[in-house]
Amino acid sequence: MTSPLPQQPCCPEFARMSRRGLFSGALALAGATTVVGSAAITTSAAASTPADSVLVVLSLRGAADGLSLVVPHADPVYYSARPRIAVPADRLLVKDGMFGLHPQLAPLLPLWQSGRLAAVQATGLAAPNRSHFSAMEEVEDADPGSDIRTGWLNRLIGTDSGRSPLQGFNVSGGVVPTSLYGPEPVMSAGNVASVRIPGDDKWDITKGRRASLHKLWDRNNTSLGTAMHAVFDALDDFAPVIETPDHASTYPRTDLGRALSEVARVIRGNVGVEVITVDQGDWDMHSDLGTSERGWLYNNAADLAKSLAAFFEDLGDQSSKVTLVTISEFGRRVVENASMGLDHGYGNVMFLAGAGVKGGKYYGTWPGLTDDGDSDLLVTTDYRSVLAEVVSSRFGASTATVFPKFQPETVGAMTSL
């Protein structure tokens, strides 16, 4: 079964993004994208040799409510502003003096308790932006004011001296996120299993259609011939992923579960992939968000937690090099609306999981909540500071190159290289 669709319409802007349109209308990539219902995955490899570090960026599309996922139980405004949808303090997990996790995130407790999961509250853009399209673009470009259309992950890939035909790999024809848009090359395929030349059943250059193509192009040094040589190289480099077992049966039977099973398979193939993006839609909850015991957010949180738990279990001996970060284009308002939902807001929460994370802790400066109808959670930590800490600690990359004109502040959620 797939993830249930919301019973009530989301805002008109987000509703215009079809399940595929959401993830295929945004960009042109340097990676590989697989679209699975409301989830999409994109991979980009910086070398055909095994990667030392892998970054997985999970975007919660539609603007997840960070105040429901990481609840500020000690701020009295939270409960007065949400009389019907607030999560009771006595149901929260791993509470400290201010925060606690939504009860449906229980599958993530082993990661939290082992110090491999952390949360950074009150993160976001430098200034509010309540347009889904515009905010997604701004978050993923991460270079405000620039007229150069290159995403932050594409710039990260460009800091690596290694190059591979897999540096741009697009699965199933979905268009990639802005974060990966840029000058790096692109390869497209239907899915992991279909990364082959149609008409050839095996990786054998001596027979079938591939043999004919080699005969036609191997001595051709034109730009088109060079492109064909790159395709052949990419097929060879990607072969270990094809041979890697598919563990989808160990994941939730949801869009996100299937997408993350593909991600883990690519990582376990160990072909040099360094950056993978995953998109989960369906977080635009203007009405009928639900309660702590049932409903739309309850189901989404459970899917998120179960899928992530299965993903980290599936990584096996590759888990020590994989770091995952979640991001959403913006948060939701503090005060619930008349439809038992939440309108577009500002500040949000980011999760960090896996290698290099100083977990079991909540990070960020809490600004306090106010409860008039237009109140937002204010941003006290620019989201780029969180990402910059991951980039520098896991890849040793120049944060000035990846985030031009930005001076990161210390978050403290990642260990040094």
Side-chain angles (χ1 to χ4, degrees):
M1 60 184 291
T2 59
S3 300
L5 297 178
Q7 297 302 305
Q8 297 293 328
C10 52
C11 71
E13 180 193 20
F14 197 75
R16 286 196 298 271
M17 307 182 199
S18 68
R19 287 292 173 264
R20 287 182 181 270
L22 171 60
F23 308 115
S24 65
L27 342 144
L29 138 94
T33 302
T34 298
V35 179
V36 188
S38 63
I41 65 170
T42 304
T43 75
S44 188
S48 58
T49 56
D52 293 327
S53 295
V54 179
L55 173 60
V56 179
V57 180
L58 170 56
S59 295
L60 308 181
R61 303 290 190 180
D65 177 38
L67 295 178
S68 290
L69 296 175
V70 174
V71 176
H73 64 86
D75 191 321
V77 172
Y78 170 76
Y79 289 101
S80 64
R82 300 182 172 195
R84 297 172 295 172
I85 68 172
V87 183
D90 62 2
R91 297 204 60 209
L92 297 176
L93 307 174
V94 291
K95 287 194 295 183
D96 71 357
M98 176 59 71
F99 302 112
L101 298 181
H102 191 287
Q104 286 297 87
L105 299 182
L108 297 179
L109 286 181
L111 285 171
W112 185 276
Q113 293 163 346
S114 64
R116 294 185 294 153
L117 175 67
V120 188
Q121 192 51 287
T123 65
L125 292 164
N129 183 340
R130 305 189 204 282
S131 161
H132 290 291
F133 284 119
S134 178
M136 286 179 194
E137 192 86 3
E138 186 176 353
V139 165
E140 295 176 7
D141 178 79
D143 186 14
S146 174
D147 58 0
I148 301 174
R149 187 173 166 79
T150 304
W152 73 273
L153 287 175
N154 195 277
R155 295 192 293 270
L156 173 59
I157 294 164
T159 65
D160 195 305
S161 60
R163 286 295 181 268
S164 162
L166 297 181
Q167 187 161 355
F169 185 66
N170 179 35
V171 179
S172 83
V175 181
V176 302
T178 299
S179 57
L180 275 168
Y181 185 87
E184 305 301 333
V186 175
M187 178 179 174
S188 183
N191 50 51
V192 167
S194 67
V195 182
R196 61 183 181 85
I197 294 174
D200 285 345
D201 294 329
K202 297 185 181 296
W203 302 89
D204 187 344
I205 65 172
T206 65
K207 57 185 178 182
R209 185 170 297 175
R210 185 171 180 184
S212 298
L213 289 171
H214 270 284
K215 184 175 182 180
L216 180 64
W217 293 106
D218 279 356
R219 293 182 175 82
N220 188 311
N221 295 317
T222 65
S223 57
L224 185 55
T226 300
M228 288 300 299
H229 303 159
V231 169
F232 297 145
D233 289 343
L235 290 172
D236 290 336
D237 290 344
F238 198 73
V241 177
I242 302 294
E243 302 301 323
T244 300
D246 182 357
H247 296 163
S249 62
T250 66
Y251 289 76
R253 297 177 62 189
T254 62
D255 295 340
L256 181 60
R258 287 193 295 274
L260 284 175
S261 73
E262 289 282 303
V263 172
R265 188 177 177 192
V266 170
I267 294 171
R268 287 186 287 108
N270 209 18
V271 295
V273 171
E274 289 189 336
V275 173
I276 303 178
T277 65
V278 185
D279 290 349
Q280 184 193 23
D282 210 15
W283 287 92
D284 193 28
M285 303 177 187
H286 284 270
S287 60
D288 292 333
L289 178 145
T291 69
S292 63
E293 298 179 346
R294 64 181 63 85
W296 188 351
L297 188 137
Y298 176 95
N299 292 335
N300 271 27
D303 181 21
L304 176 66
K306 292 175 182 177
S307 296
L308 286 178
F311 169 72
F312 278 98
E313 182 68 24
D314 188 17
L315 290 174
D317 62 6
Q318 297 296 302
S319 63
S320 62
K321 66 183 183 182
V322 179
T323 307
L324 181 144
V325 59
T326 71
I327 194 166
S328 203
E329 62 264 35
F330 46 74
R332 316 299 295 193
R333 293 287 175 86
V334 174
V335 180
E336 67 180 59
N337 61 31
S339 300
M340 204 173 169
L342 296 162
D343 297 321
H344 295 178
Y346 184 25
N348 211 330
V349 71
M350 295 173 70
F351 289 102
L352 295 164
V357 176
K358 295 162 64 175
K361 184 177 178 181
Y362 303 101
Y363 293 86
T365 300
W366 186 244
L369 302 175
T370 55
D371 61 358
D372 64 82
D374 293 327
S375 292
D376 286 322
L377 168 61
L378 299 180
V379 168
T380 58
T381 299
D382 191 300
Y383 77 102
R384 290 172 292 178
S385 289
V386 181
L387 299 179
E389 202 160 276
V390 175
V391 164
S392 61
S393 67
R394 298 304 301 161
F395 294 90
S398 165
T399 57
T401 298
V402 180
F403 304 102
K405 303 181 295 294
F406 177 65
Q407 294 293 327
E409 296 182 356
T410 299
V411 179
M414 297 293 297
T415 59
S416 301
L417 275 174

